[in-house]
């Protein structure tokens, strides 16, 4: 197989980046490119650093945006940059260079839900399906031509961390499927069509503004709870609510059958349409 790319730079963190690193390393013998990894967002237990150490992949830590932009700006070879779970915004001066091609993984079906924390927003908005997108990077955020998309269902009880795990698996599958076409520059892409008033979701935003109004329909509250539930990852702060005129913080929640209801302090039960109860554990602030 032949490619004109002499160098691949992988930027990101987490599971998808790890799979991309392993796959590009394994395929290096087929194409003869050089491979390196840059960690922009630092993680104490970095799976990507371990992968690099095991395989001898050059590893660099560049948390400073200006340093990273300057480093990438000095690249002279024809280079493919793979952005996987990466929150660095590539400057237009880099994106527009002829020797640089950048592809990015987004955890939603673009053009819908661009920006950050898409799994949360699709659950919160009550979507029944979502998916992943690999796309070319342009100067506009999440606006480049689509290379490949893969979709999945969102179940009635799906939590954000569960959906995120499924999307990461789809992202890896999609990358394996489109890699050769990207490397040989023959990927069949399609442009995005942007709906009027397309909304960009930002990292500072929290579904429901982080507040749970117990007067709302229980089904809506259940969606809100699931949308911010990343287990122990701490993506969002605990939801807050108001009970008996006092501010309270949500500690845990579960959907239970009515016979499992137990009257106890610091607990609220709300009836769901399917006959179950939404059990919410809280503590007063």
């Amino acid at each position: 197989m032949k490619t004109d790319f002499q160098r691949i730079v992988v930027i990101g963190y987490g599971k998808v980046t790890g799979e991309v690193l392993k796959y590009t390393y394994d395929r290096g013998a087929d194409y003869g490119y050089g491979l390196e990894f840059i960690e922009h967002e630092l993680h104490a237990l970095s799976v990507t650093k371990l992968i690099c150490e095991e395989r001898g992949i050059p590893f660099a830590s560049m948390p400073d945006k200006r340093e990273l932009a300057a480093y990438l700006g000095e690249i002279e070879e024809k280079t493919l940059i793979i952005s996987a779970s990466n929150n660095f915004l590539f400057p237009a001066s880099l994106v527009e260079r002829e020797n640089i091609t950048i592809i990015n993984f987004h955890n939603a079906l673009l053009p819908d839900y661009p920006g950050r924390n898409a799994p949360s927003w699709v659950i919160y908005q009550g979507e029944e399906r979502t998916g992943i997108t690999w796309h070319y990077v342009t100067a506009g955020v999440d606006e480049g031509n689509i290379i490949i998309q893969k979709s999945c269902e969102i179940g009635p009880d799906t939590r954000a961390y569960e959906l995120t795990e499924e999307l990461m698996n789809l992202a890896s599958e999609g990358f394996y499927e489109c890699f050769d076409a990207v490397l040989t520059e023959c990927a069949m892409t399609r442009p995005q069509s942007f709906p009027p008033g397309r909304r960009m979701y930002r990292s500072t935003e929290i579904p429901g503004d982080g507040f749970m109004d117990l007067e709302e329909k229980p089904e809506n509250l259940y969606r809100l709870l699931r949308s911010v539930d990343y287990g122990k990852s701490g993506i969002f702060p605990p939801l807050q609510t108001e009970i008996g005129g006092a501010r309270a913080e949500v500690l845990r929640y579960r959907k239970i059958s009515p016979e499992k209801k137990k009257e106890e302090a610091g607990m609220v039960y709300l009836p769901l349409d399917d006959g179950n109860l939404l059990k919410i554990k809280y503590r007063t602030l």
Side-chain angles (χ1 to χ4, degrees), residues 164-284:
T164 298
E165 182 71 21
E166 186 166 3
L167 293 176
M168 288 191 291
N169 292 334
L170 288 178
S172 299
E173 292 175 12
F175 181 76
Y176 306 153
E177 292 176 19
C178 73
F179 181 73
D180 289 301
V182 170
L183 257 288
T184 55
E185 299 180 90
C186 63
M188 300 294 291
T189 66
R190 59 184 174 86
Q192 296 190 51
S193 177
F194 305 117
R198 182 181 188 237
R199 177 157 161 24
M200 180 67 63
Y201 293 87
R202 306 193 181 279
S203 60
T204 54
E205 296 180 273
I206 306 173
D209 293 325
F211 184 81
M212 189 175 65
D213 185 352
L214 294 179
E215 296 300 317
E216 283 197 32
K217 189 176 179 181
E219 277 69 24
N220 295 343
L221 299 182
Y222 188 39
R223 283 207 315 270
L224 172 59
L225 287 161
R226 292 185 290 112
S227 75
V228 299
D229 186 354
Y230 284 90
K232 297 180 180 180
S233 297
I235 301 294
F236 296 115
L239 291 175
Q240 293 193 6
T241 188
E242 189 173 297
I243 298 177
R247 199 77 168 184
E249 180 180 270
V250 175
L251 300 176
R252 299 187 298 277
Y253 72 98
R254 286 181 62 194
K255 186 164 80 170
I256 64 169
S257 57
E259 58 268 21
K260 293 184 178 180
K261 178 179 178 181
K262 297 180 181 179
E263 295 297 340
E264 50 189 309
M267 201 76 69
V268 170
Y269 294 91
L270 302 173
L272 294 165
D273 287 344
D274 62 5
N276 290 304
L277 297 174
L278 178 56
K279 175 183 177 181
I280 301 171
K281 175 73 174 176
Y282 68 90
R283 70 178 180 92
T284 304

Side-chain angles (χ1 to χ4, degrees), residues 114-125:
R116 298 290 296 274
N117 301 318
S120 291
W121 294 104
V122 294
I123 292 174
Y124 181 63
Q125 298 292 353

